[in-house]
Amino acid sequence: MSARPKKSFGQHFLHDRHYIDSIVRAIAPRREDFLVEIGPGEGALTLPLLAAAGKLTAIELDTELIPGLRERAASVGELHVVHADVLKVDFSAMAHSHGVPRLRLAGNLPYYISSPILFHCVEHAPAIQDMHFMLQKEVVERMAAAPGSKVYGRLSVMLQLACQVEPLFDVPPEAFRPPPKVESAVVRLQPIPRHELHDARPEHLYAVVKAAFGQRRKTLANALRQLLDSEAIRRADVDPRARAEMLAPADFVRLAKVYSSLA
Ligand code: SAM
């Protein structure tokens, strides 16, 4: 029944009942939810989620897995499979076309594209109610890191400006078939309501954060030289002698706003 897991698709199938149950409990699906699973694979999470919610949309890139998934789901609930690369899925359009205000996303993500998937979801944050993702533990640590931490960086700032980041629990390699080489962890992301969001232009925020952490050992005066001079950095209420890793996410927003005013 089981297909041979494909490395190129980042396939590591969950088989440990304890962790599957813990993830489903953390999601706590309800009948009124519009649940979307990224990378259903052979259905380890799909089937219990479907049983609880009654319906579910799953996005899977590997065509070979789809017939088996449909077959297993048939007696459980209403499964809608979208054969696509998740990075090309417009979640805002999906919510709109189904007449729902926001989607609930879940998935044991393919690790080879976990950061691009996270950035893609952040772009659609207003159309998302929450996300429960399995990721490499090291990625979850970076997402939740505070200023001053060695792993605080671009991912921490961009995610924390858009979402509340809540690491939930760790999952060992043996819970998967085949076991990945790394530890995993489950994280909950809850987009911050739009009215509480900063109003910096996304492309300017992105540029400032990228430049600042591109040379994280340098002072901001040096790292941001192409975008802002010391005087402009001071105008954002930031010390040009500081390094990116000491700045709070809100500091980057002020820097981006000054950059917008000059661009
Ligand atoms: N959810 C299953 C489980 O927990 O056993 C499978 C998880 S496996 C880590 C990742 C899944 O994502 C695989 O089914 C893989 O084929 C799928 N996948 C890989 N790249 C993808 C992409 N770009 N878009 C959608 N699905 C993708």
mmCIF file of all heavy atoms in Angstrom, residues 62-113:
data_model
loop_
_atom_site.group_PDB
_atom_site.id
_atom_site.type_symbol
_atom_site.label_atom_id
_atom_site.label_comp_id
_atom_site.label_asym_id
_atom_site.label_seq_id
_atom_site.Cartn_x
_atom_site.Cartn_y
_atom_site.Cartn_z
ATOM 1 N N ASP A 62 3.042 15.610 -5.357
ATOM 2 C CA ASP A 62 3.379 14.298 -5.909
ATOM 3 C C ASP A 62 2.116 13.592 -6.412
ATOM 4 O O ASP A 62 1.328 13.069 -5.621
ATOM 5 C CB ASP A 62 4.081 13.476 -4.812
ATOM 6 C CG ASP A 62 4.556 12.129 -5.320
ATOM 7 O OD1 ASP A 62 4.272 11.785 -6.485
ATOM 8 O OD2 ASP A 62 5.208 11.415 -4.531
ATOM 9 N N THR A 63 1.969 13.539 -7.741
ATOM 10 C CA THR A 63 0.773 12.924 -8.355
ATOM 11 C C THR A 63 0.557 11.488 -7.897
ATOM 12 O O THR A 63 -0.588 11.054 -7.761
ATOM 13 C CB THR A 63 0.937 12.810 -9.903
ATOM 14 O OG1 THR A 63 2.120 13.454 -10.294
ATOM 15 C CG2 THR A 63 -0.255 13.304 -10.634
ATOM 16 N N GLU A 64 1.647 10.757 -7.714
ATOM 17 C CA GLU A 64 1.525 9.329 -7.397
ATOM 18 C C GLU A 64 0.802 9.065 -6.081
ATOM 19 O O GLU A 64 0.266 7.989 -5.873
ATOM 20 C CB GLU A 64 2.925 8.714 -7.295
ATOM 21 C CG GLU A 64 3.473 8.317 -8.636
ATOM 22 C CD GLU A 64 4.824 7.643 -8.480
ATOM 23 O OE1 GLU A 64 5.014 6.880 -7.518
ATOM 24 O OE2 GLU A 64 5.692 7.930 -9.320
ATOM 25 N N LEU A 65 0.841 10.047 -5.184
ATOM 26 C CA LEU A 65 0.232 9.829 -3.867
ATOM 27 C C LEU A 65 -1.280 10.090 -3.873
ATOM 28 O O LEU A 65 -1.991 9.645 -2.966
ATOM 29 C CB LEU A 65 0.880 10.752 -2.828
ATOM 30 C CG LEU A 65 2.351 10.480 -2.493
ATOM 31 C CD1 LEU A 65 2.886 11.577 -1.583
ATOM 32 C CD2 LEU A 65 2.474 9.123 -1.811
ATOM 33 N N ILE A 66 -1.736 10.792 -4.903
ATOM 34 C CA ILE A 66 -3.114 11.307 -4.849
ATOM 35 C C ILE A 66 -4.208 10.212 -4.909
ATOM 36 O O ILE A 66 -5.128 10.234 -4.095
ATOM 37 C CB ILE A 66 -3.308 12.439 -5.883
ATOM 38 C CG1 ILE A 66 -2.371 13.603 -5.476
ATOM 39 C CG2 ILE A 66 -4.760 12.890 -5.958
ATOM 40 C CD1 ILE A 66 -2.362 14.793 -6.414
ATOM 41 N N PRO A 67 -4.099 9.216 -5.834
ATOM 42 C CA PRO A 67 -5.179 8.213 -5.878
ATOM 43 C C PRO A 67 -5.351 7.469 -4.549
ATOM 44 O O PRO A 67 -6.478 7.287 -4.066
ATOM 45 C CB PRO A 67 -4.730 7.257 -6.991
ATOM 46 C CG PRO A 67 -3.765 8.055 -7.813
ATOM 47 C CD PRO A 67 -3.094 9.015 -6.877
ATOM 48 N N GLY A 68 -4.229 7.079 -3.926
ATOM 49 C CA GLY A 68 -4.299 6.345 -2.652
ATOM 50 C C GLY A 68 -4.933 7.194 -1.561
ATOM 51 O O GLY A 68 -5.721 6.704 -0.744
ATOM 52 N N LEU A 69 -4.577 8.462 -1.587
ATOM 53 C CA LEU A 69 -5.104 9.394 -0.591
ATOM 54 C C LEU A 69 -6.632 9.506 -0.725
ATOM 55 O O LEU A 69 -7.375 9.415 0.254
ATOM 56 C CB LEU A 69 -4.435 10.737 -0.848
ATOM 57 C CG LEU A 69 -4.556 11.831 0.175
ATOM 58 C CD1 LEU A 69 -3.948 11.390 1.492
ATOM 59 C CD2 LEU A 69 -3.829 13.088 -0.336
ATOM 60 N N ARG A 70 -7.061 9.664 -1.980
ATOM 61 C CA ARG A 70 -8.515 9.793 -2.239
ATOM 62 C C ARG A 70 -9.254 8.549 -1.789
ATOM 63 O O ARG A 70 -10.319 8.623 -1.183
ATOM 64 C CB ARG A 70 -8.755 10.006 -3.738
ATOM 65 C CG ARG A 70 -8.382 11.391 -4.208
ATOM 66 C CD ARG A 70 -9.210 11.791 -5.445
ATOM 67 N NE ARG A 70 -9.010 13.193 -5.742
ATOM 68 C CZ ARG A 70 -8.295 13.655 -6.768
ATOM 69 N NH1 ARG A 70 -7.728 12.803 -7.606
ATOM 70 N NH2 ARG A 70 -8.166 14.941 -6.966
ATOM 71 N N GLU A 71 -8.633 7.397 -2.090
ATOM 72 C CA GLU A 71 -9.266 6.122 -1.750
ATOM 73 C C GLU A 71 -9.424 5.996 -0.224
ATOM 74 O O GLU A 71 -10.485 5.638 0.276
ATOM 75 C CB GLU A 71 -8.358 5.009 -2.255
ATOM 76 C CG GLU A 71 -9.039 3.705 -2.538
ATOM 77 C CD GLU A 71 -8.025 2.761 -3.164
ATOM 78 O OE1 GLU A 71 -7.477 3.083 -4.255
ATOM 79 O OE2 GLU A 71 -7.753 1.742 -2.519
ATOM 80 N N ARG A 72 -8.345 6.310 0.504
ATOM 81 C CA ARG A 72 -8.380 6.179 1.966
ATOM 82 C C ARG A 72 -9.364 7.167 2.599
ATOM 83 O O ARG A 72 -9.939 6.907 3.639
ATOM 84 C CB ARG A 72 -6.990 6.401 2.551
ATOM 85 C CG ARG A 72 -6.243 5.114 2.769
ATOM 86 C CD ARG A 72 -4.768 5.369 2.985
ATOM 87 N NE ARG A 72 -4.044 5.007 1.781
ATOM 88 C CZ ARG A 72 -2.955 5.594 1.339
ATOM 89 N NH1 ARG A 72 -2.439 6.599 1.998
ATOM 90 N NH2 ARG A 72 -2.384 5.194 0.240
ATOM 91 N N ALA A 73 -9.537 8.325 1.931
ATOM 92 C CA ALA A 73 -10.384 9.366 2.525
ATOM 93 C C ALA A 73 -11.866 9.158 2.237
ATOM 94 O O ALA A 73 -12.729 9.713 2.923
ATOM 95 C CB ALA A 73 -9.953 10.735 1.999
ATOM 96 N N ALA A 74 -12.157 8.337 1.205
ATOM 97 C CA ALA A 74 -13.531 8.262 0.693
ATOM 98 C C ALA A 74 -14.573 7.979 1.782
ATOM 99 O O ALA A 74 -15.641 8.591 1.789
ATOM 100 C CB ALA A 74 -13.600 7.208 -0.407
ATOM 101 N N SER A 75 -14.237 7.087 2.701
ATOM 102 C CA SER A 75 -15.244 6.715 3.711
ATOM 103 C C SER A 75 -15.167 7.618 4.947
ATOM 104 O O SER A 75 -15.933 7.433 5.897
ATOM 105 C CB SER A 75 -15.032 5.256 4.125
ATOM 106 O OG SER A 75 -13.710 5.134 4.607
ATOM 107 N N VAL A 76 -14.218 8.554 4.935
ATOM 108 C CA VAL A 76 -13.996 9.362 6.150
ATOM 109 C C VAL A 76 -14.669 10.725 6.082
ATOM 110 O O VAL A 76 -15.243 11.217 7.054
ATOM 111 C CB VAL A 76 -12.467 9.533 6.413
ATOM 112 C CG1 VAL A 76 -12.222 10.278 7.709
ATOM 113 C CG2 VAL A 76 -11.758 8.197 6.419
ATOM 114 N N GLY A 77 -14.571 11.363 4.908
ATOM 115 C CA GLY A 77 -15.152 12.702 4.792
ATOM 116 C C GLY A 77 -14.937 13.253 3.391
ATOM 117 O O GLY A 77 -14.524 12.521 2.486
ATOM 118 N N GLU A 78 -15.199 14.529 3.260
ATOM 119 C CA GLU A 78 -15.138 15.171 1.941
ATOM 120 C C GLU A 78 -13.739 15.769 1.729
ATOM 121 O O GLU A 78 -13.427 16.827 2.281
ATOM 122 C CB GLU A 78 -16.160 16.300 1.961
ATOM 123 C CG GLU A 78 -16.591 16.842 0.630
ATOM 124 C CD GLU A 78 -17.525 18.032 0.881
ATOM 125 O OE1 GLU A 78 -18.464 17.907 1.708
ATOM 126 O OE2 GLU A 78 -17.281 19.087 0.278
ATOM 127 N N LEU A 79 -12.906 15.032 0.965
ATOM 128 C CA LEU A 79 -11.529 15.499 0.735
ATOM 129 C C LEU A 79 -11.417 16.112 -0.651
ATOM 130 O O LEU A 79 -11.787 15.493 -1.650
ATOM 131 C CB LEU A 79 -10.546 14.329 0.845
ATOM 132 C CG LEU A 79 -9.087 14.672 0.519
ATOM 133 C CD1 LEU A 79 -8.491 15.608 1.572
ATOM 134 C CD2 LEU A 79 -8.236 13.401 0.420
ATOM 135 N N HIS A 80 -10.895 17.326 -0.699
ATOM 136 C CA HIS A 80 -10.663 17.978 -1.984
ATOM 137 C C HIS A 80 -9.151 18.077 -2.153
ATOM 138 O O HIS A 80 -8.480 18.741 -1.364
ATOM 139 C CB HIS A 80 -11.315 19.362 -1.954
ATOM 140 C CG HIS A 80 -11.098 20.128 -3.213
ATOM 141 N ND1 HIS A 80 -11.501 19.675 -4.441
ATOM 142 C CD2 HIS A 80 -10.494 21.320 -3.436
ATOM 143 C CE1 HIS A 80 -11.161 20.546 -5.362
ATOM 144 N NE2 HIS A 80 -10.541 21.551 -4.786
ATOM 145 N N VAL A 81 -8.603 17.378 -3.170
ATOM 146 C CA VAL A 81 -7.145 17.411 -3.357
ATOM 147 C C VAL A 81 -6.798 18.392 -4.476
ATOM 148 O O VAL A 81 -7.356 18.324 -5.569
ATOM 149 C CB VAL A 81 -6.574 16.013 -3.721
ATOM 150 C CG1 VAL A 81 -5.048 16.071 -3.799
ATOM 151 C CG2 VAL A 81 -7.000 14.969 -2.711
ATOM 152 N N VAL A 82 -5.891 19.293 -4.182
ATOM 153 C CA VAL A 82 -5.379 20.222 -5.198
ATOM 154 C C VAL A 82 -3.980 19.741 -5.558
ATOM 155 O O VAL A 82 -3.112 19.666 -4.689
ATOM 156 C CB VAL A 82 -5.290 21.666 -4.625
ATOM 157 C CG1 VAL A 82 -4.719 22.627 -5.654
ATOM 158 C CG2 VAL A 82 -6.650 22.132 -4.120
ATOM 159 N N HIS A 83 -3.795 19.379 -6.843
ATOM 160 C CA HIS A 83 -2.463 18.947 -7.264
ATOM 161 C C HIS A 83 -1.680 20.190 -7.671
ATOM 162 O O HIS A 83 -1.904 20.757 -8.741
ATOM 163 C CB HIS A 83 -2.573 17.962 -8.440
ATOM 164 C CG HIS A 83 -1.234 17.615 -9.011
ATOM 165 N ND1 HIS A 83 -0.975 17.584 -10.359
ATOM 166 C CD2 HIS A 83 -0.069 17.320 -8.389
ATOM 167 C CE1 HIS A 83 0.293 17.279 -10.549
ATOM 168 N NE2 HIS A 83 0.861 17.118 -9.375
ATOM 169 N N ALA A 84 -0.791 20.644 -6.789
ATOM 170 C CA ALA A 84 -0.069 21.889 -7.067
ATOM 171 C C ALA A 84 1.145 22.011 -6.164
ATOM 172 O O ALA A 84 1.271 21.326 -5.149
ATOM 173 C CB ALA A 84 -0.997 23.083 -6.800
ATOM 174 N N ASP A 85 2.016 22.911 -6.582
ATOM 175 C CA ASP A 85 3.128 23.335 -5.739
ATOM 176 C C ASP A 85 2.551 24.387 -4.796
ATOM 177 O O ASP A 85 1.996 25.395 -5.252
ATOM 178 C CB ASP A 85 4.207 23.946 -6.643
ATOM 179 C CG ASP A 85 5.335 24.582 -5.854
ATOM 180 O OD1 ASP A 85 5.259 24.650 -4.618
ATOM 181 O OD2 ASP A 85 6.300 25.025 -6.505
ATOM 182 N N VAL A 86 2.662 24.164 -3.504
ATOM 183 C CA VAL A 86 2.033 25.077 -2.533
ATOM 184 C C VAL A 86 2.510 26.523 -2.709
ATOM 185 O O VAL A 86 1.765 27.462 -2.429
ATOM 186 C CB VAL A 86 2.263 24.573 -1.085
ATOM 187 C CG1 VAL A 86 3.748 24.562 -0.728
ATOM 188 C CG2 VAL A 86 1.504 25.425 -0.092
ATOM 189 N N LEU A 87 3.727 26.682 -3.217
ATOM 190 C CA LEU A 87 4.247 28.048 -3.372
ATOM 191 C C LEU A 87 3.481 28.821 -4.453
ATOM 192 O O LEU A 87 3.579 30.033 -4.553
ATOM 193 C CB LEU A 87 5.744 28.030 -3.729
ATOM 194 C CG LEU A 87 6.648 27.429 -2.646
ATOM 195 C CD1 LEU A 87 8.098 27.399 -3.110
ATOM 196 C CD2 LEU A 87 6.536 28.231 -1.348
ATOM 197 N N LYS A 88 2.716 28.079 -5.277
ATOM 198 C CA LYS A 88 1.951 28.743 -6.338
ATOM 199 C C LYS A 88 0.481 28.894 -5.954
ATOM 200 O O LYS A 88 -0.326 29.366 -6.750
ATOM 201 C CB LYS A 88 2.065 27.933 -7.639
ATOM 202 C CG LYS A 88 3.493 27.667 -8.056
ATOM 203 C CD LYS A 88 3.712 27.947 -9.531
ATOM 204 C CE LYS A 88 5.176 28.013 -9.893
ATOM 205 N NZ LYS A 88 5.793 26.679 -10.070
ATOM 206 N N VAL A 89 0.130 28.444 -4.777
ATOM 207 C CA VAL A 89 -1.283 28.504 -4.374
ATOM 208 C C VAL A 89 -1.575 29.866 -3.744
ATOM 209 O O VAL A 89 -0.893 30.286 -2.815
ATOM 210 C CB VAL A 89 -1.627 27.355 -3.395
ATOM 211 C CG1 VAL A 89 -3.039 27.502 -2.859
ATOM 212 C CG2 VAL A 89 -1.462 26.012 -4.090
ATOM 213 N N ASP A 90 -2.599 30.516 -4.273
ATOM 214 C CA ASP A 90 -2.993 31.830 -3.766
ATOM 215 C C ASP A 90 -4.040 31.610 -2.660
ATOM 216 O O ASP A 90 -5.221 31.393 -2.942
ATOM 217 C CB ASP A 90 -3.575 32.635 -4.944
ATOM 218 C CG ASP A 90 -3.976 34.047 -4.527
ATOM 219 O OD1 ASP A 90 -4.212 34.273 -3.319
ATOM 220 O OD2 ASP A 90 -4.064 34.904 -5.417
ATOM 221 N N PHE A 91 -3.579 31.658 -1.400
ATOM 222 C CA PHE A 91 -4.486 31.363 -0.283
ATOM 223 C C PHE A 91 -5.582 32.420 -0.147
ATOM 224 O O PHE A 91 -6.698 32.104 0.254
ATOM 225 C CB PHE A 91 -3.697 31.258 1.031
ATOM 226 C CG PHE A 91 -2.824 30.034 1.105
ATOM 227 C CD1 PHE A 91 -1.453 30.141 1.238
ATOM 228 C CD2 PHE A 91 -3.392 28.768 1.043
ATOM 229 C CE1 PHE A 91 -0.651 29.006 1.304
ATOM 230 C CE2 PHE A 91 -2.601 27.622 1.106
ATOM 231 C CZ PHE A 91 -1.224 27.758 1.235
ATOM 232 N N SER A 92 -5.243 33.658 -0.486
ATOM 233 C CA SER A 92 -6.261 34.722 -0.382
ATOM 234 C C SER A 92 -7.392 34.431 -1.369
ATOM 235 O O SER A 92 -8.575 34.531 -1.016
ATOM 236 C CB SER A 92 -5.637 36.087 -0.678
ATOM 237 O OG SER A 92 -4.468 36.257 0.094
ATOM 238 N N ALA A 93 -7.032 34.038 -2.606
ATOM 239 C CA ALA A 93 -8.055 33.726 -3.618
ATOM 240 C C ALA A 93 -8.846 32.489 -3.200
ATOM 241 O O ALA A 93 -10.057 32.409 -3.419
ATOM 242 C CB ALA A 93 -7.391 33.502 -4.979
ATOM 243 N N MET A 94 -8.153 31.538 -2.576
ATOM 244 C CA MET A 94 -8.840 30.312 -2.146
ATOM 245 C C MET A 94 -9.922 30.637 -1.108
ATOM 246 O O MET A 94 -11.067 30.166 -1.216
ATOM 247 C CB MET A 94 -7.822 29.321 -1.556
ATOM 248 C CG MET A 94 -8.399 27.981 -1.205
ATOM 249 S SD MET A 94 -7.195 26.911 -0.382
ATOM 250 C CE MET A 94 -6.403 26.143 -1.760
ATOM 251 N N ALA A 95 -9.566 31.468 -0.133
ATOM 252 C CA ALA A 95 -10.546 31.840 0.900
ATOM 253 C C ALA A 95 -11.709 32.587 0.246
ATOM 254 O O ALA A 95 -12.880 32.289 0.494
ATOM 255 C CB ALA A 95 -9.870 32.717 1.959
ATOM 256 N N HIS A 96 -11.365 33.522 -0.622
ATOM 257 C CA HIS A 96 -12.382 34.340 -1.281
ATOM 258 C C HIS A 96 -13.332 33.469 -2.107
ATOM 259 O O HIS A 96 -14.555 33.601 -2.008
ATOM 260 C CB HIS A 96 -11.679 35.374 -2.166
ATOM 261 C CG HIS A 96 -12.606 36.349 -2.781
ATOM 262 N ND1 HIS A 96 -13.179 37.378 -2.053
ATOM 263 C CD2 HIS A 96 -13.105 36.451 -4.038
ATOM 264 C CE1 HIS A 96 -13.969 38.059 -2.841
ATOM 265 N NE2 HIS A 96 -13.951 37.527 -4.044
ATOM 266 N N SER A 97 -12.765 32.543 -2.899
ATOM 267 C CA SER A 97 -13.620 31.766 -3.797
ATOM 268 C C SER A 97 -14.522 30.794 -3.022
ATOM 269 O O SER A 97 -15.534 30.348 -3.542
ATOM 270 C CB SER A 97 -12.778 31.020 -4.839
ATOM 271 O OG SER A 97 -12.067 30.004 -4.198
ATOM 272 N N HIS A 98 -14.145 30.468 -1.794
ATOM 273 C CA HIS A 98 -15.016 29.585 -0.993
ATOM 274 C C HIS A 98 -15.902 30.376 -0.046
ATOM 275 O O HIS A 98 -16.623 29.792 0.773
ATOM 276 C CB HIS A 98 -14.179 28.564 -0.209
ATOM 277 C CG HIS A 98 -13.615 27.498 -1.091
ATOM 278 N ND1 HIS A 98 -12.390 27.610 -1.720
ATOM 279 C CD2 HIS A 98 -14.124 26.307 -1.484
ATOM 280 C CE1 HIS A 98 -12.171 26.531 -2.433
ATOM 281 N NE2 HIS A 98 -13.210 25.719 -2.315
ATOM 282 N N GLY A 99 -15.808 31.688 -0.129
ATOM 283 C CA GLY A 99 -16.666 32.536 0.695
ATOM 284 C C GLY A 99 -16.374 32.411 2.181
ATOM 285 O O GLY A 99 -17.277 32.531 3.014
ATOM 286 N N VAL A 100 -15.103 32.122 2.534
ATOM 287 C CA VAL A 100 -14.754 32.052 3.969
ATOM 288 C C VAL A 100 -13.790 33.189 4.286
ATOM 289 O O VAL A 100 -12.965 33.558 3.453
ATOM 290 C CB VAL A 100 -14.111 30.694 4.365
ATOM 291 C CG1 VAL A 100 -15.129 29.590 4.308
ATOM 292 C CG2 VAL A 100 -12.899 30.363 3.514
ATOM 293 N N PRO A 101 -13.899 33.770 5.486
ATOM 294 C CA PRO A 101 -12.995 34.879 5.791
ATOM 295 C C PRO A 101 -11.544 34.424 5.911
ATOM 296 O O PRO A 101 -10.634 35.083 5.428
ATOM 297 C CB PRO A 101 -13.517 35.438 7.120
ATOM 298 C CG PRO A 101 -14.431 34.404 7.679
ATOM 299 C CD PRO A 101 -14.881 33.531 6.547
ATOM 300 N N ARG A 102 -11.343 33.267 6.563
ATOM 301 C CA ARG A 102 -9.954 32.852 6.769
ATOM 302 C C ARG A 102 -9.798 31.338 6.790
ATOM 303 O O ARG A 102 -10.689 30.613 7.224
ATOM 304 C CB ARG A 102 -9.408 33.468 8.068
ATOM 305 C CG ARG A 102 -9.172 34.972 7.891
ATOM 306 C CD ARG A 102 -8.625 35.641 9.108
ATOM 307 N NE ARG A 102 -9.473 35.445 10.259
ATOM 308 C CZ ARG A 102 -9.007 35.412 11.502
ATOM 309 N NH1 ARG A 102 -7.737 35.558 11.753
ATOM 310 N NH2 ARG A 102 -9.824 35.246 12.512
ATOM 311 N N LEU A 103 -8.634 30.894 6.335
ATOM 312 C CA LEU A 103 -8.329 29.468 6.280
ATOM 313 C C LEU A 103 -7.552 29.047 7.520
ATOM 314 O O LEU A 103 -6.876 29.868 8.133
ATOM 315 C CB LEU A 103 -7.435 29.174 5.063
ATOM 316 C CG LEU A 103 -7.819 29.786 3.721
ATOM 317 C CD1 LEU A 103 -6.690 29.549 2.713
ATOM 318 C CD2 LEU A 103 -9.115 29.160 3.225
ATOM 319 N N ARG A 104 -7.625 27.765 7.824
ATOM 320 C CA ARG A 104 -6.739 27.210 8.857
ATOM 321 C C ARG A 104 -5.759 26.282 8.144
ATOM 322 O O ARG A 104 -6.172 25.289 7.545
ATOM 323 C CB ARG A 104 -7.537 26.435 9.911
ATOM 324 C CG ARG A 104 -8.568 27.282 10.651
ATOM 325 C CD ARG A 104 -9.100 26.539 11.870
ATOM 326 N NE ARG A 104 -8.073 26.456 12.905
ATOM 327 C CZ ARG A 104 -8.107 25.584 13.919
ATOM 328 N NH1 ARG A 104 -9.097 24.728 14.029
ATOM 329 N NH2 ARG A 104 -7.143 25.568 14.815
ATOM 330 N N LEU A 105 -4.486 26.584 8.205
ATOM 331 C CA LEU A 105 -3.482 25.785 7.505
ATOM 332 C C LEU A 105 -2.795 24.816 8.468
ATOM 333 O O LEU A 105 -2.587 25.144 9.638
ATOM 334 C CB LEU A 105 -2.393 26.669 6.897
ATOM 335 C CG LEU A 105 -2.776 27.752 5.895
ATOM 336 C CD1 LEU A 105 -1.517 28.319 5.246
ATOM 337 C CD2 LEU A 105 -3.693 27.215 4.828
ATOM 338 N N ALA A 106 -2.451 23.646 7.935
ATOM 339 C CA ALA A 106 -1.725 22.669 8.746
ATOM 340 C C ALA A 106 -0.827 21.859 7.828
ATOM 341 O O ALA A 106 -1.064 21.792 6.618
ATOM 342 C CB ALA A 106 -2.711 21.746 9.459
ATOM 343 N N GLY A 107 0.192 21.257 8.390
ATOM 344 C CA GLY A 107 1.003 20.359 7.579
ATOM 345 C C GLY A 107 2.326 19.990 8.210
ATOM 346 O O GLY A 107 2.897 20.750 8.984
ATOM 347 N N ASN A 108 2.737 18.797 7.839
ATOM 348 C CA ASN A 108 4.091 18.334 8.134
ATOM 349 C C ASN A 108 4.848 18.729 6.873
ATOM 350 O O ASN A 108 4.776 18.052 5.853
ATOM 351 C CB ASN A 108 4.018 16.813 8.358
ATOM 352 C CG ASN A 108 5.371 16.153 8.395
ATOM 353 O OD1 ASN A 108 6.403 16.812 8.501
ATOM 354 N ND2 ASN A 108 5.369 14.828 8.313
ATOM 355 N N LEU A 109 5.516 19.854 6.912
ATOM 356 C CA LEU A 109 6.015 20.489 5.695
ATOM 357 C C LEU A 109 7.224 19.773 5.095
ATOM 358 O O LEU A 109 8.026 19.191 5.831
ATOM 359 C CB LEU A 109 6.407 21.942 5.982
ATOM 360 C CG LEU A 109 5.299 22.878 6.457
ATOM 361 C CD1 LEU A 109 5.824 24.314 6.550
ATOM 362 C CD2 LEU A 109 4.085 22.840 5.537
ATOM 363 N N PRO A 110 7.345 19.861 3.749
ATOM 364 C CA PRO A 110 8.589 19.375 3.130
ATOM 365 C C PRO A 110 9.717 20.334 3.541
ATOM 366 O O PRO A 110 9.658 21.525 3.245
ATOM 367 C CB PRO A 110 8.287 19.468 1.622
ATOM 368 C CG PRO A 110 7.110 20.382 1.478
ATOM 369 C CD PRO A 110 6.374 20.398 2.786
ATOM 370 N N TYR A 111 10.728 19.798 4.255
ATOM 371 C CA TYR A 111 11.735 20.669 4.872
ATOM 372 C C TYR A 111 12.594 21.421 3.853
ATOM 373 O O TYR A 111 13.126 22.474 4.166
ATOM 374 C CB TYR A 111 12.639 19.868 5.821
ATOM 375 C CG TYR A 111 11.914 19.320 7.039
ATOM 376 C CD1 TYR A 111 12.556 18.460 7.926
ATOM 377 C CD2 TYR A 111 10.595 19.669 7.314
ATOM 378 C CE1 TYR A 111 11.895 17.959 9.049
ATOM 379 C CE2 TYR A 111 9.931 19.166 8.422
ATOM 380 C CZ TYR A 111 10.587 18.308 9.279
ATOM 381 O OH TYR A 111 9.941 17.812 10.380
ATOM 382 N N TYR A 112 12.727 20.869 2.622
ATOM 383 C CA TYR A 112 13.624 21.519 1.654
ATOM 384 C C TYR A 112 13.110 22.893 1.216
ATOM 385 O O TYR A 112 13.878 23.676 0.655
ATOM 386 C CB TYR A 112 13.891 20.604 0.446
ATOM 387 C CG TYR A 112 12.715 20.482 -0.522
ATOM 388 C CD1 TYR A 112 12.700 21.138 -1.745
ATOM 389 C CD2 TYR A 112 11.611 19.680 -0.195
ATOM 390 C CE1 TYR A 112 11.634 21.018 -2.622
ATOM 391 C CE2 TYR A 112 10.541 19.558 -1.060
ATOM 392 C CZ TYR A 112 10.561 20.228 -2.271
ATOM 393 O OH TYR A 112 9.496 20.116 -3.123
ATOM 394 N N ILE A 113 11.826 23.164 1.440
ATOM 395 C CA ILE A 113 11.309 24.495 1.085
ATOM 396 C C ILE A 113 10.542 25.117 2.255
ATOM 397 O O ILE A 113 9.606 25.887 2.049
ATOM 398 C CB ILE A 113 10.400 24.480 -0.176
ATOM 399 C CG1 ILE A 113 9.398 23.311 -0.123
ATOM 400 C CG2 ILE A 113 11.198 24.512 -1.452
ATOM 401 C CD1 ILE A 113 8.263 23.464 -1.108
#
